Structure formats: C-alpha cells, structure tokens
Amino acid sequence: MTTTVAGLDSVTNDQVTAARATWAAFRRNPLGMVSVGILVVLVVVAICAPLIAEYPSGYGDAVLQGPSGAHWFGTDSLGRDIFAEVVWGARLSIVIAALSSALAIAIGVVVAVLGAYFPKADAVIGTIVDLCLSLPVLPLMILVAALAGPSLITLVLVIAFFSWPEVTRVVRSQALSVVRLPYMDAAKLTGGSSFWIIRKHLLPAVAPVIVVSVVLTASRAVLSAAGLAFLGLGDPNSWSWGRILYDAQQSGAMQSAWWTTLFPSLAMLLLVVSATLISIAYNDARNPRARED
C-alpha cells in the first residue's frame, strides 16, 4: 500500500513538473504570447467600456460619415459612433462567449469523464454524442433561438447546448486513454471513492485538453452569437458585434459604407484568430519534442 501511495504522489509531482515546463515553453512562443496579449486587451476593453466610450444611443447628425478624427471608425446610418458600438459590443460578445463556453465545458467534461470512468455508461454517452454531432447545428440553433425569442439567456443556452458534444468528444477520447494507465488501477487499490479518483487523478490528467477546449469553444461561441445576431436573433437591447452587422445590413449601408462592417468584423477576427493561435501554441508547448527544440 505504501508503494502504491508513493507511486501516486510521484504521478502528481510529474504532472506539476509538466505543467511548469509547458508554461515555460509557451512563454517562448511569440505568437502565443502576442495572442494572449490581444485577448487581454479585448477583455480590458469590454470591462472598461464605460470609461472608453459613451453608450451609443439615439441619433446623430453625421450619418454614414467615414472614419475621421471625430469618429475613428465612422458612423452608422443613424449617426451613431461605430467605435463606441464596437467597444460596447465587445462586452456582450465576450460575456456570451464566457458564459456559454463555461456551461458547455461543464456539461461536456462531466459527461466525458463519467463515460470514460464508467464503461457501462460509455456506450450510451458515445451514442448520444455521435447523434448530436451528426445534427445540422446552425439550422437548429436558428430554429431554437427564433422559437425562444431573442435575449442574452437564450443565446447562452442555445450556444452551450449545441457546443457541449464537441467538448465531450475531445475530452472523452483523452480520458479513455488515461483510465487504462497503471496508476489509475493503483488509485483504485488504495480504496479511494470514484469521486476522489476522478477529482484527484482523472481530471488533472485531462486538464490540458480542457484548457484547449475552453479557448476554442469561447471563440466559436463568439462566431455563433454574431451569426444569430446578424439574423436578428440576438439581444435587441444590447450592443454586440453581430448587431452592428445586422443594423448595417438592415439599413443598406453594408454595400455603400464599408466601415460599418469592417471594424466589427476585424474585432471578431482578432478574437477568433488569437484564440486559435493560443490553442496551437499551447499544444506545441505540451509536446516534449517541441520543448526540446
């Protein structure tokens, strides 16, 4: 028994050492660090939106005015400042991404871990996940959002509901390989409960995959929220990057005033590309061969 406990402690120490080595390798990746900086800037802009720009509302005299010193990103069809719209849109877009990805990750990880650890449940879970992944996601998201009505809660629930199967698929594949390792059998021999083994050994082993899933799910949530808002299914009472595009399309300014679509699109592009580069850099940092190079 003493030897088994010592072996488990050794596994835990190895995981801590690997995490430190991964972080050290990640810091040496310039694309990864720049991407982290971009995400931090976007989050700070979202948090400090009231300090950066006034909330865009009402009407203005400068209708469809191009970028200038007075209006950095130009104005829309009602004379509202697009820079302020993008700044305030970052708040809602990032909130939706954070909430929906957190909910999707929570559901996906729980289902994946339970399926991997309990073989009897794995067959049922695998079938459900495969069925969900085979569904046409975008049409169903549009249908559910249209039936439920446009609101923040609707967007979060709809995006999370259609995102968790992908998280489960990725985490489950990693968890299945972990539960077959000798130290998992050793953990069972110590007499620990299933909950303790999952929390102490299985979850830390799949944590790197979860981190990547969080980043990618959040970026996909931003695109999904923007797509639904562009179709008029977003929250009509709050600014988001998708709503800016929707207003431009509805007013007919999308064809004549390029700035009405360029800047919110660039904001989404920055977020999605930086999130993708972070996941790539993190995967490279986890690779021992990449760390040696």
Side-chain angles (χ1 to χ4, degrees), residues 9-28 204-208 281-288 291:
D9 291 339
S10 176
V11 170
T12 303
N13 293 333
D14 290 343
Q15 291 174 346
V16 173
T17 302
R20 292 174 178 172
T22 298
W23 171 237
F26 184 88
R27 285 185 299 176
R28 293 194 297 269
V206 299
Y282 183 73
N283 279 327
D284 290 343
R286 287 175 53 213
N287 187 346
R291 290 202 296 263

Side-chain angles (χ1 to χ4, degrees), residues 43 94-95 97 144 183 211 235 279:
V43 172
I94 291 178
V95 166
V144 174
Y183 81 88
V211 171
D235 187 353
S279 66

Side-chain angles (χ1 to χ4, degrees), residues 28-292:
R28 293 194 297 269
N29 189 316
L31 282 179
M33 294 306 296
V34 169
S35 299
V36 170
I38 292 174
L39 280 186
V40 170
V41 169
L42 290 174
V43 172
V44 170
V45 167
I47 295 174
C48 301
L51 303 177
I52 298 174
E54 294 183 3
Y55 187 82
S57 60
Y59 304 90
D61 296 330
V63 176
L64 292 179
Q65 186 180 80
S68 63
H71 304 283
W72 293 351
F73 292 177
T75 61
D76 63 9
S77 59
L78 297 179
R80 295 172 298 202
D81 186 62
I82 295 180
F83 174 77
E85 294 176 359
V86 172
V87 168
W88 282 89
R91 168 170 288 194
L92 184 63
S93 299
I94 291 178
V95 166
I96 291 175
L99 294 179
S100 59
S101 63
L103 183 57
I105 292 295
I107 297 173
V109 170
V110 169
V111 174
V113 168
L114 291 178
Y117 191 80
F118 299 103
K120 293 182 179 179
D122 186 55
V124 177
I125 290 175
T127 302
I128 294 175
V129 170
D130 291 339
L131 177 62
C132 292
L133 291 175
S134 66
L135 296 175
V137 175
L138 183 57
L140 287 176
M141 289 179 66
I142 295 173
L143 176 62
V144 174
L147 292 176
S151 68
L152 175 61
I153 296 177
T154 298
L155 287 176
V156 170
L157 293 179
V158 168
I159 294 172
F161 180 78
F162 289 102
S163 298
W164 73 264
E166 180 64 25
V167 176
T168 298
R169 183 188 67 81
V170 175
V171 177
R172 174 172 162 264
S173 63
Q174 178 70 15
L176 284 172
S177 62
V178 172
V179 295
R180 300 188 182 98
L181 296 177
Y183 81 88
M184 291 295 294
D185 295 330
K188 295 177 182 178
L189 292 176
T190 62
S193 64
S194 297
F195 175 77
W196 179 83
I197 295 174
I198 291 174
R199 179 180 62 85
K200 187 71 175 178
H201 298 290
L202 185 53
L203 282 178
V206 299
V209 178
I210 297 175
V211 171
V212 175
S213 297
V214 168
V215 176
L216 293 180
T217 303
S219 64
R220 291 169 184 166
V222 170
L223 291 179
S224 298
L228 292 174
F230 179 71
L231 296 173
L233 300 174
D235 187 353
N237 300 316
S238 302
W239 282 104
S240 67
W241 294 331
R243 182 190 164 184
I244 301 172
L245 298 177
Y246 171 74
D247 287 350
Q249 191 269 338
Q250 289 295 106
S251 65
M254 184 175 288
Q255 291 78 21
S256 59
W258 53 268
W259 56 89
T260 58
T261 57
L262 175 64
F263 296 108
S265 299
L266 285 178
M268 285 186 285
L269 180 66
L270 280 175
L271 192 149
V272 173
V273 171
S274 60
T276 303
L277 291 177
I278 287 174
S279 66
I280 294 174
Y282 183 73
N283 279 327
D284 290 343
R286 287 175 53 213
N287 187 346
R289 294 180 179 178
R291 290 202 296 263
E292 292 175 0

